[in-house]
Amino acid sequence: MNQVEIAEKLSAKGMRVTPQRIAILGAILKLNNHPTAENIIEYIKINHPNISIGTVYKVLDSFVENHLLKKVKTEGGIMRYDPLPFNHHHLYCEETDRIEDYEDQTLDELIIDYFEKKGIKNFTIQNIQLHITGKFKH
Amino acid sequence: MNQVEIAEKLSAKGMRVTPQRIAILGAILKLNNHPTAENIIEYIKINHPNISIGTVYKVLDSFVENHLLKKVKTEGGIMRYDPLPFNHHHLYCEETDRIEDYEDQTLDELIIDYFEKKGIKNFTIQNIQLHITGKFKH
DNA sequence: TACTAAATGAGAATGATTCTCTTCTAAGAC
DNA sequence: GTCTTAGAAGAGAATCATTCTCATTTAGTA
């Protein structure tokens, strides 16, 4: 996704298009590894040494608010970010701290069907996400 | 679970039985809401005002290492803890920050069967956990 | 081109967690 | 029951991740 496309995404969300925001969203898409704020800061420092840490945190928050990003569920401590807007699942490797997206429409349908029939007492489901832990083979 | 049972659990894991450890694990079981370290500290301060914050963090870490607790997957920032040792799923209410355990053996079998047949390319599955977000009705 | 509300930069502040060093104690040996 | 000691705890400093504050800059509209 190039800068023009990113700018369009921002506009579409009613957000001002600033070089910092383009850089930050671009970094996340390029890194493509559910990065932490620190990963993102390190990455953009190369081409944008003047973007401040506070700005990165504020921009990330505004992206989450505007549904351009989602925070990844991890075991706490440090936030990680996910640019994929549509629902998907995650593969976690605890050894390497690597998180990969996992999409499986057949399984989605299976689970959605199951809960349409069964439901959960006293609970209205809004989203279902699988977190699969294990090991990557490479 | 009373103090004797907690002590037995600690012994069974080869851990020294100390009043602090009994108090901390007891608090988590009593709170029964995937508490943060701060929640736990506040709770045990009532009956154990001298247990230090550093101790609580160290004890929590040792419980995780010894499989007495698991860290809950959340969207980062603050760690929460889960005393249930066997696999289960979680219901998340983002409005209230409430997390409830969800067990569904039928669904477990369905998903395990599915992955036994299908598998995931380049990935060895170790555990599958559902994270269901939505709203509690009370 | 001018204007201004929104965004950014920079660094201080905050909160959550980890670290360090001294003191205490659980549990094993006798 | 006493002694010993490795492991645990207490206390507070240190670190880290994130948030806050205020002055300055700027995107986008008129």
Side-chain angles (χ1 to χ4, degrees), chain A residues 98-109:
Chain A
R98 178 175 160 191
I99 301 172
E100 297 278 346
D101 294 328
Y102 178 73
E103 294 155 49
D104 188 329
Q105 202 169 339
T106 308
L107 181 59
D108 288 347
E109 288 167 6

Side-chain angles (χ1 to χ4, degrees), chain A residues 82-137:
Chain A
D82 185 353
L84 212 56
F86 56 91
N87 196 47
H88 57 284
H89 311 292
H90 283 142
L91 306 178
Y92 294 81
C93 176
E94 285 170 345
E95 280 181 0
T96 58
D97 224 21
R98 178 175 160 191
I99 301 172
E100 297 278 346
D101 294 328
Y102 178 73
E103 294 155 49
D104 188 329
Q105 202 169 339
T106 308
L107 181 59
D108 288 347
E109 288 167 6
L110 198 72
I111 296 177
I112 288 171
D113 281 352
Y114 181 88
F115 279 114
E116 272 177 359
K117 288 172 186 127
K118 181 116 180 268
I120 301 180
K121 197 152 119 185
N122 288 325
F123 188 78
T124 304
I125 296 171
Q126 285 169 346
N127 182 46
I128 299 170
Q129 199 180 27
L130 279 171
H131 292 217
I132 306 171
T133 55
K135 290 189 181 184
F136 290 101
K137 279 165 185 161

